[in-house]
Amino acid sequence: MTRGAAAILMLMLSLPAASLLVAADAVGVDTIRLPSDAGEGLATSKGGEEETLRLPDHVLAPPREENDVSGVLGEEERPWSCCNSTVCTKSFSPTCRCLDEVDECAPACKRCEPSGINPNRHVCNDEYHGDPGPTCTKEERPWACCNSTVCTKSFPPTCRCLDEVEECAPACKRCEPSGINPNRHVCNDEYHGDPGPTCAKEERPLAYCNSTVCTKSFPPTCRCLDEVEECAPACKRCEPSRINPNRHVCNDQYHGDPGPTCAKEERPWACCNSTVCTKSFPPTCRCLDEVEECAPACKRCEPSRINPNRHVCNDQYHGDPGPTCPKEERPWACCNSTVCTKSFPPTCRCLDEVEECAPACKRCEPSRINPNRHVCNDQYHGDPGPTCAKEERPWACCNSTVCTKSFPPTCRCLDEVEECAPACKRCEPSGINPNRHVCNDQYHGDPGPTCAKEERPWACCNSTVCTKSFPPTCRCLDEVEECAPACKRCEPSGINPNCHVCNDQYHGDPGPTCAKEERPWACCNSTVCTKSFPPTCRCLDEVEECAHTCKRCELSGINPNRHVCNDQYHGDPGPTCAKEGRPWTCCNSTVCTKSFPPTCRCLDEVEECAPACKHCESSGISPNRHVCNDQYHGDPGPTCAKEERPWACCNSTVCTKSFPPTCRCLDEVAECAPACKRCEPIGINPKIHVCNDQYHGDPGPRCGKDDDDVPAGSASLAAAGTQMQLLLVSLVLMFIQSR
């Protein structure tokens, strides 16, 4: 074997086999055969002579220097001798668990607990960091053959057999009665491996069927929904039909080809204009036509729910729905407001309100809006026909139109006018101003031109609120001492009754801004601004005395001795104040906002707060320690001197995603490390302790056996094995990404 072929095989084998390939290639082996069930190791041949190379039990890691903490610590003892069902993480090295249910756990297992499924068996819940080890001896398959297997996508798969049998195989341990038929049984055992052969082909419970329902599996599992007078002899579950008790349905399931269809049934209608069919082939169809009398072939002819004098055939037909009926007469001569379905041909209705319906209309009813006019409620299957003569627009011009997206659009005019146009039929007083009127007519077509440009109700405005329409509809929220002469609705401000707000709406450009107002603070560290341009800002600083330009200087809700300026300012919030003294010297646990500069707090628990801290309070966890609850606007400052880790090593660490992380160690030990301050016993076993300290930083190395006695001669082989592990992990990741 060449070195290139050996390198390819090395990526596909486990670490021990890859290490053996390196050794085999070094001695010039021609052929390597993988291990079979008959023995262990690798079978090799060279020049016609076969030899067997024993696989190594484990690969030794290269020796570490005394002060080197970057490598992996010695491998811990595996808590099981062999395992068939392992669950491992994708990390390197993996963290594994064994899900096997056994009579007795291995001696190395520390958490041997009864199985949740079978209390007489046990599961080892220990976690192991490293190779999960070999599989156990092959278990016996709990069934001889199976037609309905459910298997996972793992390799080897974990399978179950869903066959309902009279008696389970002797190897089945959990043989239970079927939930559907108590006289038959199902084996609920799980088997790890090939599910085995299928059983002898079962007899189809029906000779033929027109309505089959099959799964997408191969072979499919099918049922026949045909209603027949008598089931076939092979049918075991022949039950009366729920729709027609005089007919029967075979509820057996068959695994395989559903077989041929029956003789072609007679279509239950001669022609149909409204058919509803499934997307199957052949389709299953129904006819929704309302007729005076059903066809002779129709078996379920029932009165229509809409018109009891007409009938609908509720039979289902499997096949071509047949031709459409002769074209019916359209129930209107012309229509401006048609509502049609998206089917072909469409089903349409005409919503026009007319004085008299067309002679072809059968359901001419009074309009709900205007009882003196009528609407034809007939449905027509086909082209809705031409529109009527163009109606007169009920307004001469309009600035505020609301139109649908249809073509032509249906529009209304929301303008408030002193007098409606002569063509308007529904001229009503405005809900806002009873002295003005609004035309509530609907018009089908172009809404027409806009009216002459109205006068803007303000000369200038700093706070405008406009819609996104074109032209926009705007309002001015400025609080002023006196409104402009063009303003019609000048009302007192809800915040300051001495000021006024113009509540008029203006359709068009909101106009220029007013002269720049004076900022109500000289400087501010805590500003809250909107995202508009220019922004509207407030200053949340608590000060001893507000600036003289502040109009609403109020007491702080937190500290009554300080004040807050509640004025709003439209523009740049201005500079920040002189930098305040940080209320802590250093801090390891800071919580800051995402603003710039950030607003920060320090969550460190200390024996005594810094002199600059104003809110020094006792810790809620330890009353002997304190926390500074001051907020600081700016850089949170340096971290404190690195604290000593409260454990020497730890296998079970829980850390936050922050940087540096805040970690805890959940290891159960006989005695905590000297640096641990909160060493507490476990309630179950007082001799076992857990260190409840939190540590801000790297959680440190994992624990394990001392590996100072690693032989120096295995360094090269272990280094090659480590490289092969890295290559194998890379290959697995590339395969997963390609999938």
Side-chain angles (χ1 to χ4, degrees), residues 448-611:
T450 57
C451 302
K453 193 171 182 181
E454 58 185 313
E455 185 179 3
R456 190 183 297 115
W458 52 82
C460 62
C461 183
N462 288 322
S463 303
T464 53
V465 178
C466 298
T467 62
K468 294 182 179 180
S469 59
F470 184 79
T473 301
C474 300
R475 281 188 56 204
C476 180
L477 304 182
D478 283 358
E479 297 178 358
V480 294
E481 296 181 358
E482 187 177 355
C483 297
C487 179
K488 299 175 181 177
R489 296 173 56 197
C490 186
E491 301 176 358
S493 168
I495 300 174
N496 188 354
N498 296 325
C499 289
H500 298 79
V501 174
C502 180
N503 285 325
D504 286 358
Q505 288 185 350
Y506 175 69
H507 306 282
D509 182 16
T513 57
C514 302
K516 193 172 182 181
E517 58 185 314
E518 188 175 3
R519 189 183 299 115
W521 53 82
C523 62
C524 182
N525 288 322
S526 303
T527 53
V528 178
C529 298
T530 62
K531 294 182 179 180
S532 59
F533 184 79
T536 301
C537 300
R538 281 189 56 205
C539 179
L540 304 182
D541 283 359
E542 297 179 358
V543 295
E544 296 182 358
E545 186 177 355
C546 297
H548 66 279
T549 55
C550 179
K551 300 176 182 177
R552 296 173 58 198
C553 186
E554 302 176 359
L555 296 176
S556 167
I558 301 173
N559 188 352
N561 296 326
R562 297 178 74 83
H563 298 79
V564 174
C565 180
N566 284 325
D567 287 357
Q568 288 185 350
Y569 175 69
H570 306 282
D572 181 16
T576 57
C577 302
K579 193 171 182 181
E580 55 185 315
R582 190 182 298 116
W584 53 82
T585 306
C586 61
C587 183
N588 288 323
S589 302
T590 54
V591 178
C592 298
T593 62
K594 294 182 179 180
S595 59
F596 185 79
T599 300
C600 300
R601 280 188 57 205
C602 180
L603 305 182
D604 284 359
E605 297 179 0
V606 295
E607 296 181 356
E608 186 177 355
C609 297

Side-chain angles (χ1 to χ4, degrees), residues 689-713:
H689 297 77
V690 172
C691 180
N692 284 327
D693 287 359
Q694 287 186 350
Y695 175 69
H696 305 282
D698 181 16
R702 293 198 303 267
C703 303
K705 295 180 180 179
D706 189 9
D707 54 356
D708 291 339
D709 56 349
V710 177

